[in-house]
């Protein structure tokens, strides 16, 4: 009962305010600005020396990466849209939004919707300077969309479709629906040792280490 | 948003890790970081004011002067800085473009000075960001019109070799060019006035005899008026036929408003001539005379103000529509209310709702004839509300119309919206071209990459030359795209050739050569791959020949947009033509590039490249064109 009365009172107050505004002629937009709070977030990364010791990037590399990072994300965190825009620049011919989304989810381990500089750097360290096993772990994490420890055929199909989307339409030969599924089948043939329809982390790592061609990414 | 791509490149390469496990083909070798120089500050001295920035910042846009090796021409050895003898104020905005990716147009800057600076630094104006683009385009348009006005004033002399028809048309359009035209102009004006006055006087009653009732003059002096009418119509007909004869596009002339007015003005007379005998349609004939009043609109050819008024009304169509709509709504509401309010009172004039419309309109426009007045109190209350609201509703759109009129009047007629549409499309298409530029840069370097890997006995210098022309950033990016191709086992193709190829395969069911064959062996560079390439070529060359007409459109586009006008590829062109000539066999063409190759290699040239429709086009490296692209990188 009291809540209803409170609500009634609140409505009445709002109504009288509205009438008063109507009579005195204040515009709506003047008042709305006061109600809005500033929602911008400012985020400061860790100390440069600390980052340098935690990761193994050189000082110049960290500086370069941070400068670019800060230039495009002045608030200090990358959100998903910015991430997608960046990848769109690298793959202008195709549609990179799906793959960027998967990557973002893989980067963003604690699922808070934005990547801080440290998180990005730690991910990069694994990817660029980590051991093969760490890289494979990361790749498995990327493929496992729902993070349940298994890669199913549907997840793989999604990932592969996203990768093919990166190419765009102007490719040769023309992309057929079947090609992607064929690719998925080949992948599962290679990886799924016990043929149970899903790929677990151990199968993945075992298999990839056998066929992985180590290449140099510096 | 133009990201500082160099900084985000590690992220992109990290993404490539995700492709590794799914790829079935071996990945290409990553480019080595040859020049390990750290990011350095470079000094740009613009007329004494020193700007400093990182080298990487400038490298973001390799198709501009500052981003490419062209700036080396301006390098001053003694002071170790780049000196530009240009305006430092404008340079500020240009440098900010490199820093933030957005080009702004400062309002206080002169438009032509700004344009010159942009052209000097190799930046296309379409890149100007949306916040400043409107302003830029408006100023540019004003400037162009001012220049055109000046030109027109200077253009006194007649152009030589104009045919009689063109002379007549020109005389009609600009009466002040020759005295004959001026005379004709005034004569027609005079006769229009005469005709209109005649029509008016025709209806004035002039009584001849005091006891007879007044009859209009037209019926009294029928013959005189008829002669006058005939003379005017003669003149108008002659004028119309002459205009029709002289018009450059008769169809368009007949569709124009002025000619329709002309026709409507003279038609009633001829119809009247034809139908004088028939009694049944004489009633209709009389109403046709009303259309003679349209002759007054012929004055709009003589009066600039009238034309502007007409154009204003046309351009304010939406405001007028709003006015009409809101008035209609208000009329209906108030008429209904008044009708029901006055229903009770006796001898009320408000007999029905449509009858109340008249009262509402008269009241809302504050005319107040007083032929219909509410008698009940409720009716009076609502009537007063009606008149108050009428003032508001009518007063609102009027200032918009007025301001429109004054704007147009002061700045001459402009087809604003039509031109804006075209400009927007052109702008988007230029930006799309520049986007394609980055992809074509990749395809180009891919070709060169294969070139260099197939040249097993290529000399070291050539390799180094080829390698040097692409920056490290570009080479890493291209390596990334190459990895993607390997992962998906498909190759990137130029858009236009993709469509062309699609046409080909759609029309002729030719079993397409599996490119996986070529891509797999392409890297290893065996003789077999070369032969397969050679075998591929003649087959599809005949295709292109057969389908040349069909894909003529594509070829035309290909011709008009030379892909390789980026500064880096200008260097490449000379290198590659040299290297191609050295190798007698095994031209590397990955069947995807459509550059105009030198004629000597045309026989074995890229099969899907548009066979040059004009084989005499010299293979000069596109120095004549001014298309400068900004790569999205």
């Amino acid at each position: 009962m009291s809540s209803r009365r409170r609500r009634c009172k609140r409505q009445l107050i709002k109504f009288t305010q509205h009438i008063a505004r109507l009579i005195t002629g204040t515009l709506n937009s003047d008042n709305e600005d006061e109600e809005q709070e500033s929602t911008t977030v400012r985020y400061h990364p860790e100390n440069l020396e600390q980052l340098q010791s935690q990761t193994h990037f050189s000082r110049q590399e960290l500086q370069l990466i941070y400068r670019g990072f800060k230039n495009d994300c002045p608030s200090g965190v990358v959100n998903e849209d910015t991430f997608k825009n960046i990848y769109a620049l690298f793959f202008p011919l195709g549609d990179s939004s799906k793959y960027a989304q998967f990557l973002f989810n893989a980067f963003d381990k604690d699922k808070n919707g934005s990547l801080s500089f440290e998180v990005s750097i730690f991910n990069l360290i694994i990817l660029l300077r980590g051991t093969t096993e760490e890289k494979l772990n990361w790749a498995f994490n990327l493929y496992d969309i729902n993070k349940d420890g298994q890669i199913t055929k549907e997840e793989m199909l999604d990932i592969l479709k996203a990768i093919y989307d990166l190419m765009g339409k102007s490719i040769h030969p023309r992309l057929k629906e079947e090609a992607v599924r064929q690719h998925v089948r080949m992948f599962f043939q290679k990886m799924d040792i016990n043929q149970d329809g899903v790929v677990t982390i151990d199968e993945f790592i075992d298999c990839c280490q056998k066929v992985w061609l180590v290449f140099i990414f510096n | 948003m133009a990201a500082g791509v160099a900084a985000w490149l590690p992220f992109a390469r990290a993404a490539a890790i995700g492709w590794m496990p799914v790829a079935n083909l071996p990945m290409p070798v990553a480019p080595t970081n040859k020049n390990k120089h750290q990011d350095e500050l470079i000094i740009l001295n613009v007329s004494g004011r020193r700007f400093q920035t990182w080298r990487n910042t400038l490298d973001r846009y390799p198709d501009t002067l500052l981003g490419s090796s062209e700036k080396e021409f301006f390098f001053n050895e003694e002071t170790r800085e780049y000196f530009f003898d240009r305006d430092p104020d404008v340079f500020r905005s240009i440098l900010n473009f490199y820093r933030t990716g957005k080009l702004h147009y400062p309002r206080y800057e002169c438009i032509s000075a700004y344009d010159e600076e942009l052209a000097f630094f190799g930046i296309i104006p379409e890149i100007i960001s949306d916040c400043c683009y409107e302003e830029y385009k408006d100023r540019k348009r004003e400037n162009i019109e001012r220049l055109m006005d000046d030109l027109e004033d200077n253009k006194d002399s007649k152009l030589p070799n104009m045919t009689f028809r063109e002379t007549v048309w020109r005389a009609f359009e600009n009466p002040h060019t020759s005295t004959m035209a001026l005379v004709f102009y005034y004569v027609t004006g005079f006769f229009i006035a005469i005709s209109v006055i005649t029509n008016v006087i025709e209806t004035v009653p002039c009584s001849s005899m005091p006891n007879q009732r007044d009859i209009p003059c037209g019926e009294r002096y029928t013959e005189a008026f008829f002669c006058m009418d005939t003379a005017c119509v003669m003149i108008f007909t002659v004028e119309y036929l002459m205009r029709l004869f002289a018009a450059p596009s008769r169809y368009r002339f007949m569709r124009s408003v002025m000619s329709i007015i002309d026709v409507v003005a003279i038609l009633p007379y001829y119809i009247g001539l034809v139908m004088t005998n028939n009694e049944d349609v004489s009633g209709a004939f009389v109403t046709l005379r009303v259309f003679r009043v349209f002759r007054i609109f012929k004055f709009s050819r003589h009066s600039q103000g009238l034309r502007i008024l007409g154009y204003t009304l046309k351009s304010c169509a939406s405001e007028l529509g709003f006015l009409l709509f809101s008035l209609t709504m208000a009329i209906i509401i108030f008429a209904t209310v008044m009708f029901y309010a006055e229903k009770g009172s006796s001898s009320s004039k408000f007999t029905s709702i449509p009858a109340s419309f008249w009262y509402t309109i008269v009241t809302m426009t504050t005319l107040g004839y007083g032929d219909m007045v509410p008698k009940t109190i409720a009716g009076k209350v609502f009537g007063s509300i009606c008149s108050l609201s009428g003032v508001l509703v009518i007063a609102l759109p009027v200032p918009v119309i007025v301001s429109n009129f004054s704007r147009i009047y002061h700045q001459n007629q402009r087809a604003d919206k039509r031109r804006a549409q075209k400009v927007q499309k052109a702008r988007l298409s230029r930006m799309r071209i520049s986007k394609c530029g980055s992809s074509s840069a990749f395809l180009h370097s891919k070709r060169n990459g294969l070139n260099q890997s197939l040249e097993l006995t290529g000399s070291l210098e050539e390799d180094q030359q080829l390698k040097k022309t692409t920056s490290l950033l570009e080479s890493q990016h291209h390596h990334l795209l190459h990895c993607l191709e390997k992962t998906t086992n498909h190759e990137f193709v130029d858009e236009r050739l993709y469509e062309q190829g699609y046409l080909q395969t759609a029309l002729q069911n030719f079993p397409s050569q599996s490119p996986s064959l070529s891509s797999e062996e392409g890297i290893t560079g065996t003789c077999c791959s070369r032969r397969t390439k050679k075998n591929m070529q003649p087959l599809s060359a005949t295709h292109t020949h057969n389908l040349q007409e069909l894909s003529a459109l594509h070829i035309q586009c290909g011709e008009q947009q030379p892909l390789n006008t980026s500064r880096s590829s200008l260097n490449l062109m000379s290198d590659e033509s040299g290297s191609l000539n050295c190798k007698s066999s095994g031209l590397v063409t990955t069947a995807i590039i459509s550059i105009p190759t030198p004629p000597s290699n045309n026989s074995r040239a890229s099969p899907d490249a548009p066979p040059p429709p004009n084989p005499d086009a010299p293979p000069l490296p596109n120095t004549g064109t001014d298309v400068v692209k900004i790569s999205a990188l």
Side-chain angles (χ1 to χ4, degrees):
Chain A
M1 187 59 89
S2 66
S3 70
R4 212 186 303 168
R5 276 181 70 190
R6 230 178 301 141
R7 212 174 332 139
C8 257
K9 217 199 298 183
R10 217 179 313 144
Q11 295 248 3
L12 205 61
I13 290 175
K14 234 199 269 186
F15 181 66
T16 39
Q17 271 182 350
H18 188 72
I19 294 286
R21 224 182 288 154
L22 196 67
I23 293 175
T24 58
T26 50
L27 296 170
N28 271 335
S29 56
D30 293 340
N31 296 344
E32 273 171 16
D33 283 339
E34 300 157 17
E35 295 163 5
Q36 244 184 18
E37 287 172 5
S38 161
T39 50
T40 47
V41 159
R42 293 271 177 268
Y43 185 85
H44 298 283
E46 300 274 346
N47 207 339
L48 182 58
E49 277 83 24
Q50 206 169 341
L51 273 180
Q52 205 181 334
S53 59
Q54 279 174 353
T55 69
H56 297 288
F57 280 122
S58 76
R59 202 180 170 87
Q60 278 83 6
E61 282 171 338
L62 276 176
Q63 280 181 337
L64 192 63
I65 297 178
Y66 186 69
R67 258 186 259 139
F69 190 87
K70 182 85 179 164
N71 206 18
D72 297 314
C73 316
S75 55
V77 292
V78 190
N79 56 9
E80 199 165 328
D81 285 330
T82 322
F83 211 71
K84 285 188 183 166
N85 287 340
I86 292 163
Y87 279 98
L89 284 178
F90 280 106
F91 305 104
L93 292 170
D95 175 25
S96 57
S97 55
K98 279 227 76 67
Y99 193 63
Q101 193 178 8
F102 290 136
L103 278 175
F104 189 82
N105 289 336
F107 269 64
D108 188 20
K109 297 218 169 44
D110 47 354
K111 298 271 170 277
N112 56 358
S114 61
L115 299 176
S116 69
F117 181 61
E118 283 95 340
V119 170
S120 321
I121 285 290
F122 291 144
N123 272 301
L124 280 181
I125 269 295
I126 297 174
L127 290 168
L128 300 179
R129 306 276 163 87
T131 66
T132 313
E133 177 152 350
E134 287 173 350
K135 288 186 193 170
L136 288 171
N137 241 326
W138 193 91
F140 186 84
N141 201 24
L142 172 69
Y143 296 149
D144 187 10
I145 299 176
N146 52 2
K147 315 285 179 239
D148 62 353
Q150 296 175 335
I151 307 179
T152 62
K153 281 213 168 91
E154 287 76 28
E155 290 173 341
M156 206 57 223
L157 190 64
D158 282 338
I159 295 271
L160 273 175
K161 273 209 197 124
I163 293 181
Y164 274 84
D165 279 344
L166 288 176
M167 301 273 301
K169 286 192 324 247
S170 317
I171 53 181
H172 179 54
R174 292 196 61 230
L175 182 65
K176 302 188 203 45
E177 242 325 283
E178 194 46 40
V180 188
R181 287 182 199 280
Q182 172 74 2
H183 206 149
V184 175
R185 271 198 291 272
M186 274 170 42
F187 178 81
F188 267 81
Q189 258 178 346
K190 269 195 312 194
M191 302 281 166
D192 195 9
I193 301 174
N194 57 358
Q195 297 293 324
D196 58 354
V198 293
V199 178
T200 61
I201 179 89
D202 305 311
E203 289 174 343
F204 187 71
I205 294 182
D206 281 338
C207 201
C208 281
Q209 274 183 336
K210 279 188 238 151
V211 304
W212 186 282
L213 294 174
V214 180
F215 59 95
I216 307 162
F217 250 147
N218 55 338
Chain B
M1 169 186 88
V5 168
W8 294 104
L9 194 62
F11 286 87
R13 301 178 79 197
I17 301 267
W19 306 334
M20 300 302 309
V22 290
N24 304 318
L25 305 166
M27 288 286 151
V29 182
T32 53
N33 200 348
K34 308 168 290 290
N35 35 5
K36 281 276 187 190
H37 69 265
Q38 304 299 333
D39 198 11
E40 47 169 347
L41 276 178
I42 64 175
I43 304 176
L44 302 163
N45 185 347
V46 183
S47 299
R49 205 187 298 177
R50 282 188 173 71
F51 297 86
Q52 290 185 330
T53 180
W54 299 108
R55 186 175 285 273
N56 280 349
T57 312
L58 294 182
D59 285 341
R60 282 183 203 167
Y61 299 103
D63 282 324
T64 58
L65 185 150
L66 291 173
S68 65
S69 54
E70 193 177 339
K71 64 177 182 284
E72 303 300 327
F73 285 102
F74 297 91
F75 189 67
N76 189 344
E77 295 294 342
E78 301 151 5
T79 51
R80 309 296 299 169
E81 60 189 18
Y82 294 89
F83 181 77
F84 297 97
D85 203 6
R86 311 289 298 187
D87 189 0
D89 290 327
V90 180
F91 189 75
R92 220 171 44 87
S93 341
I94 289 177
L95 195 55
N96 273 337
F97 167 58
Y98 287 91
R99 290 184 185 131
T100 60
K102 294 205 216 141
L103 181 61
H104 294 283
Y105 168 60
R107 273 151 219 255
Y108 53 82
E109 204 60 57
C110 168
I111 184 76
S112 41
Y114 193 74
D115 261 345
E116 275 174 25
E117 296 297 315
L118 284 187
F120 179 83
F121 286 102
I123 299 175
I124 54 173
E126 275 71 15
I127 292 278
I128 294 179
S129 59
D130 291 330
C131 47
C132 300
Y133 192 68
E134 282 293 326
E135 171 83 20
Y136 173 80
K137 274 295 163 190
D138 283 343
R139 296 273 291 267
K140 194 151 187 193
R141 200 173 19 235
E142 268 179 49
N143 201 33
I144 290 177
E145 282 170 3
R146 197 173 309 136
L147 290 176
M148 264 182 11
D149 284 345
D150 288 344
L151 271 179
E152 273 179 16
D153 287 345
N154 297 339
K155 201 169 54 168
D156 282 339
S157 58
K158 232 192 286 189
L159 303 164
N161 304 334
M162 280 202 335
T163 64
F164 175 65
R165 186 172 160 184
E166 283 173 5
T167 333
V168 171
W169 180 249
R170 202 152 158 268
F172 273 126
E173 292 298 299
N174 306 333
H176 53 267
T177 47
S178 73
T179 33
M180 198 51 202
L182 210 55
V183 163
F184 194 75
Y185 176 76
Y186 282 126
V187 161
T188 39
F190 175 69
F191 270 96
I192 295 173
I194 291 278
S195 163
V196 168
I197 292 174
T198 318
N199 285 344
V200 166
I201 292 187
E202 231 178 10
T203 58
V204 171
C206 34
S207 58
S208 57
M209 284 158 281
N211 50 349
Q212 264 192 349
R213 66 177 177 86
D214 291 342
I215 53 172
C217 284
E219 285 178 22
R220 201 157 153 226
Y221 302 107
T222 324
E223 280 178 19
F225 279 104
F226 183 72
C227 289
M228 191 75 81
D229 209 17
T230 313
C232 294
V233 171
M234 254 337 69
I235 303 263
F236 296 152
T237 317
V238 163
E239 184 205 352
Y240 180 71
L241 289 174
M242 276 178 71
R243 275 185 203 263
L244 191 61
F245 159 70
S249 157
R250 295 216 173 104
Y251 177 61
R252 201 151 46 98
F253 172 73
M254 291 208 328
R255 275 192 320 174
S256 70
V257 176
M258 290 311 305
S259 87
I260 291 178
I261 291 177
D262 287 338
V263 168
V264 169
I266 60 180
L267 221 44
Y269 175 80
Y270 289 111
I271 295 180
L273 274 185
V274 167
M275 295 197 314
T276 28
N277 305 325
N278 217 335
E279 287 296 325
D280 298 336
V281 295
S282 63
F285 162 68
V286 165
T287 44
L288 268 182
R289 283 183 155 199
V290 163
F291 285 104
R292 288 189 304 178
V293 80
F294 273 86
R295 286 178 198 168
I296 206 172
F297 283 115
K298 286 167 69 76
F299 265 128
S300 55
R301 273 219 184 88
H302 299 253
S303 156
Q304 172 92 331
L306 208 58
R307 269 206 299 266
I308 290 176
L309 182 64
Y311 185 70
T312 310
L313 290 176
K314 192 165 61 137
S315 68
C316 303
S318 60
E319 281 86 24
L320 285 174
F322 164 66
L323 175 62
L324 211 61
F325 178 69
S326 55
L327 264 181
T328 313
M329 257 184 24
I331 287 172
I332 294 178
I333 292 176
F334 279 110
T336 315
V337 166
M338 289 308 294
F339 172 71
Y340 283 112
E342 286 287 305
K343 205 158 181 219
S345 83
S346 56
S347 74
S348 146
K349 290 236 173 73
F350 294 80
T351 50
S352 66
I353 294 186
S356 319
F357 280 167
W358 174 245
Y359 168 76
T360 319
I361 291 175
V362 166
T363 313
M364 279 184 91
T365 52
T366 69
L367 278 174
Y369 289 134
D371 53 351
M372 283 165 83
V373 194
K375 293 198 172 53
T376 60
I377 295 185
K380 287 188 180 160
V381 165
F382 287 119
S384 41
I385 297 179
C386 174
S387 64
L388 286 174
S389 66
V391 170
L392 268 176
V393 166
I394 291 180
L396 281 177
V398 168
V400 179
I401 298 175
V402 165
S403 75
N404 259 353
F405 182 78
S406 81
R407 176 175 67 90
I408 294 174
Y409 186 77
H410 284 298
Q411 290 178 22
N412 297 327
Q413 291 143 317
R414 299 189 312 199
D416 273 334
K417 293 184 183 138
R418 262 178 280 138
R419 224 178 286 174
Q421 290 267 359
K422 270 191 234 160
V423 162
Q424 182 70 356
K425 268 202 293 192
R427 177 188 185 201
L428 291 177
S429 75
R430 276 199 90 173
M431 289 175 92
R432 203 173 29 88
I433 293 171
S434 71
K435 251 191 115 177
C436 286
S438 68
S439 57
S440 67
F442 167 62
L443 296 170
H444 200 82
S445 73
K446 205 173 98 155
R447 178 165 156 273
N448 284 328
L450 284 177
N451 206 353
Q452 122 197 7
S453 56
L454 274 183
E455 287 165 14
L456 300 172
T457 57
S459 70
L460 204 59
E461 293 161 10
E462 281 180 15
D463 284 347
Q464 277 181 353
Q465 250 180 339
L466 282 172
K467 276 189 191 164
K468 223 195 295 182
T469 47
T470 56
S471 68
L472 174 67
L473 182 62
E474 268 190 47
S475 62
Q476 285 183 344
H477 185 225
H478 296 332
H479 172 248
L480 204 62
L481 292 173
H482 213 160
C483 287
L484 182 59
E485 284 184 343
K486 288 273 169 267
T487 312
T488 56
N489 202 6
H490 288 69
E491 281 181 5
F492 280 108
V493 171
D494 183 15
E495 260 182 21
R496 247 166 270 118
L497 287 168
Y498 168 72
E499 289 164 25
Q500 197 177 347
Y502 183 33
L503 257 175
Q504 287 181 2
T505 52
L507 290 174
Q508 296 204 7
N509 299 330
F510 194 81
S512 54
Q513 301 274 356
S514 62
S516 52
L517 185 70
S518 58
S519 64
E520 268 169 18
E521 298 175 1
I523 294 298
T524 53
T526 59
C527 309
C528 306
S529 70
R530 273 192 238 167
R531 220 174 290 139
T532 17
K533 283 210 194 317
K534 269 171 33 180
N535 286 338
M536 264 173 66
Q537 292 163 17
L539 290 163
S540 14
T542 52
H543 274 289
T544 44
H545 186 67
N546 290 341
L547 294 169
Q548 194 168 344
E549 286 130 5
L550 286 163
S551 39
L553 277 174
H554 298 291
I555 294 176
Q556 280 301 87
C557 296
E559 285 296 312
Q560 282 166 13
Q561 298 171 9
L563 290 179
N564 313 323
T565 51
S566 65
R567 284 174 162 78
S568 54
S569 53
L570 277 178
N571 303 335
L572 277 170
M573 275 285 288
S574 40
D575 284 343
E576 138 246 322
S577 55
S579 59
L580 279 175
N581 282 329
C582 295
K583 307 297 166 199
S584 53
S585 67
L587 287 186
V588 191
T589 52
T590 52
I592 51 178
I593 308 297
S594 64
I595 58 161
T597 53
S600 60
N601 298 328
N602 261 351
S603 54
R604 274 104 148 279
S606 56
D608 291 355
N614 39 350
D616 45 326
L620 40 87
N622 302 318
T623 44
T625 57
D626 289 337
V627 176
V628 177
K629 303 184 321 262
I630 307 277
S631 72
L633 294 180

